[in-house]
């Protein structure tokens, strides 16, 4: 069977806006630092529920399935990923292809089964609010002659459409993942396997809903109905997810297994063929853009999640904003509810040489409590981690996966 042609390799990601030579570049995650939405999670939350409606509570069925699928996939693949700067023999079959964020593509079969099309995803993306202060920040960067690139694990096309509508972020500077919902449905129908393979997905969803309902407690918290899934329920959901993607769809992220076989299902082949922009891909894109603009010494990377960590570690200057995992990976931690404070920090970086502590001290003095600036790195204190976590929850909600 031919490979599903989605044109989704990393080398196909490109910047369509003009690259100016000699200036500074801010390579930023999109979800969090620039926009507050998470339209894949929002689509799953609104579309995934039992046929009888189930129990409407927080977290929703879709949020639980997304979170437990992420946990299972990460547990399976993290030990097999190539360590940064590490040495030693690779695992049997080679290092895994999986990156932090690769699990996003597992939403595609679920959304297909729920009847969500690309137009629905685009509508959710267009409803995403800009992070407070982000448009003003972008305008300041233009005045400073900086270039701003948005790099995201999320589907690229809806964010490019959003950037065009908003006007303050150039759509050609938004780089993200493929997510071929409409093309996947057309391919499955053309190959005559739509009904059979959607039945696999529907069976997985029915089992997952039953696990949630059978291992949950639901109570009222003021006007909000909340749900707690037991540890046994979470283990059951992760086991069912593994059976779904490994055995039923036949997907593998082991290089050795992929060389020896193709997935038994067309849906599995589609998922495998989508090379998602994850942690290592974000780093590669940021470094490639820097080489085309002002050089690596004029790159500042910014992110708020675990799938930004590799990009933050590889950049000469890095800012972990409103996320403890990002702050641990970055040189500088920033906690703020108004991104228009960022140009103050960037101007100091322009003039600093290599003195990170001097930049932090001057930024603290200039911002005067409008934002919290601190040293990042693996030694991040519990207090600073909590401050990041609380701000991320305030801005992006309780159930952000990354």
């Amino acid at each position: 069977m031919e490979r599903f042609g989605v044109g989704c390799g990393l080398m196909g990601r490109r910047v369509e806006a003009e690259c100016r030579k000699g200036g500074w570049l801010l390579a930023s995650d999109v979800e969090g630092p620039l926009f507050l939405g998470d339209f894949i999670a929002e689509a799953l939350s609104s579309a995934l529920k039992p046929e009888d409606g189930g129990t409407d509570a927080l977290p929703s069925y879709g949020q639980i399935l997304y979170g437990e699928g992420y946990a299972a996939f990460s547990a399976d693949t993290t030990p097999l990923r190539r360590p940064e700067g590490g040495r030693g023999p690779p695992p049997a079959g080679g290092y895994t292809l999986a990156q932090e964020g690769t699990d996003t593509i597992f939403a595609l079969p679920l959304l297909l089964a729920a009847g969500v099309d690309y137009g629905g995803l685009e509508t959710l993306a267009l409803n995403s609010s800009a992070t407070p202060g982000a448009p003003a920040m972008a305008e300041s960067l233009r005045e400073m002659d900086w270039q701003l690139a948005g790099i995201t694990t999320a589907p690229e096309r809806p964010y490019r459409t959003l950037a065009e509508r908003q006007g303050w972020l150039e759509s050609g500077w938004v780089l993200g993942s493929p997510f071929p919902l409409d093309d996947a449905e057309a391919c499955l129908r053309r190959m005559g396997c739509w009904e059979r393979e959607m039945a696999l997905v529907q069976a997985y969803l029915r089992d997952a809903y039953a696990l949630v309902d059978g291992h949950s407690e639901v109570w009222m918290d003021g006007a909000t109905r909340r749900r707690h899934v037991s540890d046994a329920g979470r283990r059951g959901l992760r086991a069912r997810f593994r059976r779904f993607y490994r055995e039923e769809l036949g997907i593998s992220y082991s290089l050795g297994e992929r060389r020896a076989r193709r997935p038994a299902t067309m849906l599995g082949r589609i998922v495998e063929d989508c090379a998602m922009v994850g942690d290592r891909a974000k780093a590669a894109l940021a470094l490639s853009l820097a080489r085309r603009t002002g050089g690596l010494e004029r790159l500042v990377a910014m992110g708020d999640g675990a799938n930004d960590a590799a990009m933050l570690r590889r950049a000469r200057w890095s800012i972990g904003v409103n996320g403890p995992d990002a702050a641990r990976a970055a040189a500088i931690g920033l906690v703020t509810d108004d991104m228009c404070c960022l140009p103050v920090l960037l101007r100091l970086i322009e003039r600093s040489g290599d003195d990170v502590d001097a930049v932090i001290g001057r930024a603290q003095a200039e911002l005067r409590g409008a934002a919290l600036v601190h040293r990042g790195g693996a030694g991040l204190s519990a207090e600073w981690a909590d401050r990041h976590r609380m701000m991320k929850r305030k801005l992006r909600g309780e159930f952000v996966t990354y």
Side-chain angles (χ1 to χ4, degrees), residues 20-25 145-147 290 293-295 298-299:
R20 298 191 306 277
K21 287 285 189 180
W24 284 77
L25 169 69
D145 202 30
W146 280 56
Q147 295 175 98
T293 53
R298 292 194 171 193
L299 167 66

Side-chain angles (χ1 to χ4, degrees), residues 143-167:
E143 294 171 0
M144 294 163 59
D145 202 30
W146 280 56
Q147 295 175 98
L148 172 62
I151 305 175
T152 178
T153 297
E156 177 182 275
R157 276 173 45 202
Y159 270 130
R160 286 192 164 199
T161 303
L162 177 60
E164 290 172 1
R165 298 281 182 91
Q166 294 277 336

Side-chain angles (χ1 to χ4, degrees), residues 89-101:
Y95 290 112
T96 181
L97 295 168
Q99 306 180 62
E100 183 83 33

